[in-house]
């Protein structure tokens, strides 16, 4: 995992991706995956992420996270 992350960071630096953009994209994808893995249950997802459910809901709104549940 560390190698993959190092490679990704290297590519982002080469492409001059701004830190804020990288952070936002990571946060959006990470939150989306955790919420999907929790079948849309925000309480469970928030617990997994180590944050309050209201904070998660606010972040999802800010990041425009849309979750697909199956």
């Amino acid at each position: 995992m560390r190698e993959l992350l190092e490679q990704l960071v290297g590519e982002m630096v080469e492409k001059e991706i701004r830190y804020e953009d990288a952070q936002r994209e990571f946060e959006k994808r990470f939150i989306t995956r955790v919420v999907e893995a929790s079948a849309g249950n925000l309480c469970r997802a928030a617990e997994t992420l180590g944050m309050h459910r209201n904070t998660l809901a606010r972040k999802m709104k800010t990041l425009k996270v849309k979750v697909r549940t199956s």
Side-chain angles (χ1 to χ4, degrees):
M1 182 172 78
R2 287 181 188 223
E3 275 185 37
L4 290 173
L5 184 56
E6 187 61 38
Q7 182 181 0
L8 177 61
V9 170
E11 289 177 25
M12 294 171 82
V13 169
E14 287 175 18
K15 293 179 182 179
E16 298 181 1
I17 304 295
R18 294 179 53 206
Y19 174 75
E20 291 173 355
D21 296 335
Q23 182 181 17
R24 180 180 177 89
E25 188 63 27
F26 174 82
E27 192 171 24
K28 182 175 181 175
R29 288 175 186 246
F30 194 82
I31 287 172
T32 299
R33 288 278 178 100
V34 172
V35 174
E36 286 175 352
S38 300
N41 183 320
L42 295 188
C43 289
R44 192 174 335 142
E47 185 176 323
T48 300
L49 292 165
M51 64 176 69
H52 192 277
R53 185 186 58 79
N54 292 342
T55 303
L56 174 58
R58 190 170 42 253
K59 282 186 172 289
M60 289 176 67
K61 185 176 180 180
T62 300
L63 296 169
K64 298 177 182 169
V65 171
K66 295 179 181 163
V67 178
R68 298 171 295 181
T69 55
S70 35

